[in-house]
Amino acid sequence: MTKSSWGECFKRQWNDIEVAAKEVGCEDRLHIWPDPELKGYVEEAKIAHWLYKPTVEKWNSLTASESKAKFIQSVLNKSQTAITTS
């Protein structure tokens, strides 16, 4: 594989991933880790955006397991309330 074909392949895959993320509504959770060597194959601003975007460790939201635990607890609380009031 040449560097040019590598760059084109990555661009195609990158685009497919972004389209899929938009379709399922998780584009805000997407994080691409592009190779800085893609400069010249991908527009500079797009690479710069992803290279310096905060990773999941820096997000100010709950992790999936914390979210799941809170959801389960709220369901249990509602179940208990329904049982005691019926």
Side-chain angles (χ1 to χ4, degrees):
M1 177 178 274
T2 66
K3 190 168 182 178
S4 178
S5 63
W6 165 78
E8 290 302 315
C9 183
F10 190 91
K11 278 184 5 182
R12 210 172 24 260
Q13 291 174 356
W14 188 342
N15 183 62
D16 291 346
I17 290 167
E18 288 182 333
V19 168
K22 285 178 189 173
E23 287 179 7
V24 298
C26 68
E27 188 177 19
D28 61 326
R29 297 292 185 180
L30 183 64
H31 190 105
I32 305 286
W33 282 270
D35 188 324
E37 292 292 316
L38 287 166
K39 291 178 182 174
Y41 299 97
V42 177
E43 61 188 73
E44 196 81 26
K46 192 169 184 176
I47 290 177
H49 168 76
W50 287 113
L51 282 176
Y52 304 107
K53 187 172 182 175
T55 58
V56 67
E57 297 85 14
K58 307 240 189 268
W59 289 348
N60 291 326
S61 63
L62 299 173
T63 64
S65 59
E66 289 173 323
S67 295
K68 186 175 179 181
K70 285 191 175 201
F71 172 74
I72 291 170
Q73 188 60 53
S74 72
V75 169
L76 290 173
N77 290 343
K78 287 177 186 174
S79 297
Q80 287 297 332
T81 303
I83 290 170
T84 57
T85 58
S86 47

